[in-house]
Amino acid sequence: MAELIKGAPIAAAIEQEVKERVSAGGGAPPRVVAVRSTADPASEAYLRRQGQAAERLGLHYAIDSVAENATESQILAAITALNRDAATTGIIVQLPLPRGVRPEVVQQAVDPAKDVEGVHPANLGTLLGDSPSIVPCTAAAIMACLAASGRKLAGLSAIVVGRSRIVGRPAALLLIQQNATVTVCHRQTADPAAHFRRADVLVLAAGQAGLVQKDMVKPGAIVIDVGVNEVVRDGKRALVGDADPGVAEVAGCFTPTPGGVGPVTVAMLWRNAVTAWELVRRRASRAR
Ligand code: NAP
């Protein structure tokens, strides 16, 4: 049976690092502002949890409520004001955005140094080099789970399933930096199972329950299951990953769903918030 890579201890270590960096930095702690422009019950609960986590970690957190169903220009104005506000060191654009508002336009308006989600093109662009700046949280979480496996990635064959801008593609670039040999699969990949079977590292970020069955996994492979899918099991709703549970019989180690990549992704937001705070402070001191 495969070894489990649990997210909780990895997330706890990241949170400890966050506290230590905030305390070592001294002065005013990071101040993260979430820009909210819709009243969605799921995102309200998410914002509440963010506020609680920030408080626990010693960060300041605020919600900037732009008018409900705001226009793109109202949201851009709110972001511009936060970009200019010296006290704000991190900005989160809370999704969903109102209908008609283009997420990429809003994300590009955020000062890259304050982009704690790591989704601004300037930050994504740094993934092409060897020193990424602020990395998208899920991609960073995938790499932290891989590090927790204790296996060296150099020379391994890594298959990333999914090529989204903020999960699959950045994860592939980070794996290349670690000297893995990387293949990215997507919906148009011919015979995806043939790729899965030769993977030493299988990163699943497709959002398709049961996509990978145990006969598609190389014995001993590291399986990082990012997918979160709601299914009905025994009449009850449950969250599952992209891998069938039988994969655990073949893999060397794998992340469970829930309780694997998810908590690490959340912790990465706060690590990014500290990185942003450090960048903003460095820039301010250079300008003095
Ligand atoms: P996305 O934007 O919908 O992208 C999904 C990607 O998977 C696309 O590139 C798509 O290919 C590919 N794909 C879908 N079905 C496939 C199949 N049958 N075979 C091969 N490739 C397939 O999703 P995302 O935002 O990247 O998220 C991916 C999954 O991760 C979702 O389940 C999401 O809920 C989950 N997620 C989890 C966390 C976490 O912290 N655990 C964080 C973020 C996301 P095409 O490009 O060809 O369409």
Side-chain angles (χ1 to χ4, degrees):
M1 201 66 176
E3 191 187 316
L4 271 186
I5 304 172
K6 289 191 185 160
I10 306 171
I14 295 166
E15 290 198 350
Q16 184 57 32
E17 177 203 316
V18 165
K19 288 187 206 158
E20 285 167 12
R21 280 166 68 185
V22 170
S23 124
R31 175 180 152 83
V32 178
V33 179
V35 178
R36 175 183 60 186
S37 50
T38 50
D40 172 70
S43 81
E44 288 300 313
Y46 185 66
L47 288 169
R48 237 187 343 268
R49 282 200 301 275
Q50 272 185 352
Q52 288 159 354
E55 194 178 329
R56 185 158 44 79
L57 297 173
L59 281 73
H60 288 166
Y61 179 84
I63 298 171
D64 185 353
S65 296
V66 187
E68 201 177 308
N69 294 320
T71 61
E72 193 168 277
S73 51
Q74 282 173 307
I75 297 171
L76 293 178
I79 289 173
T80 304
L82 292 170
N83 286 345
R84 289 191 183 133
D85 176 25
T88 298
T89 59
I91 300 170
I92 297 169
V93 176
Q94 184 60 28
L95 301 176
L97 291 166
R99 198 186 291 255
V101 176
R102 294 163 295 174
E104 66 284 3
V105 171
V106 173
Q107 284 162 350
Q108 282 178 33
V110 173
D111 175 350
K114 298 186 181 186
D115 167 35
V116 297
E117 294 169 291
V119 294
H120 190 286
N123 286 320
L124 292 173
T126 65
L127 291 165
L128 294 174
D130 289 329
S131 319
S133 179
I134 304 180
V135 175
C137 302
T138 310
I142 291 166
M143 298 312 290
C145 291
L146 283 169
S149 78
R151 299 263 299 273
K152 283 254 178 303
L153 301 177
L156 298 187
S157 164
I159 310 296
V160 179
V161 190
R163 57 176 168 181
S164 72
R165 228 168 53 91
I166 58 162
V167 185
R169 287 181 207 210
L173 291 168
L174 292 167
L175 282 159
I176 291 170
Q177 276 167 28
Q178 297 290 317
N179 298 314
T181 303
V182 182
T183 302
V184 178
C185 296
H186 45 78
R187 275 182 237 259
Q188 299 191 35
T189 299
D191 195 2
H195 292 285
F196 303 165
R197 283 191 190 102
R198 62 181 177 78
D200 301 308
V201 174
L202 190 52
V203 175
L204 304 173
Q208 299 280 320
L211 176 69
V212 178
Q213 300 291 320
K214 70 175 181 186
D215 65 340
M216 301 175 187
V217 174
K218 182 172 175 178
I222 310 170
V223 179
I224 306 296
D225 196 350
V226 187
V228 179
N229 310 292
E230 199 175 279
V231 295
V232 177
R233 272 202 187 143
D234 305 326
K236 286 190 194 141
R237 285 202 284 188
L239 291 182
V240 300
D242 290 352
D244 182 84
V247 165
E249 294 164 28
V250 184
C253 44
F254 80 106
T255 55
T257 307
V261 179
V264 186
T265 299
V266 174
M268 284 300 176
L269 182 77
W270 305 114
R271 179 191 269 175
N272 281 353
V274 177
T275 302
W277 174 65
E278 290 165 351
L279 285 171
V280 168
R281 285 179 146 201
R282 221 173 294 143
R283 185 173 63 186
S285 76
R286 273 201 305 267
R288 276 199 287 272

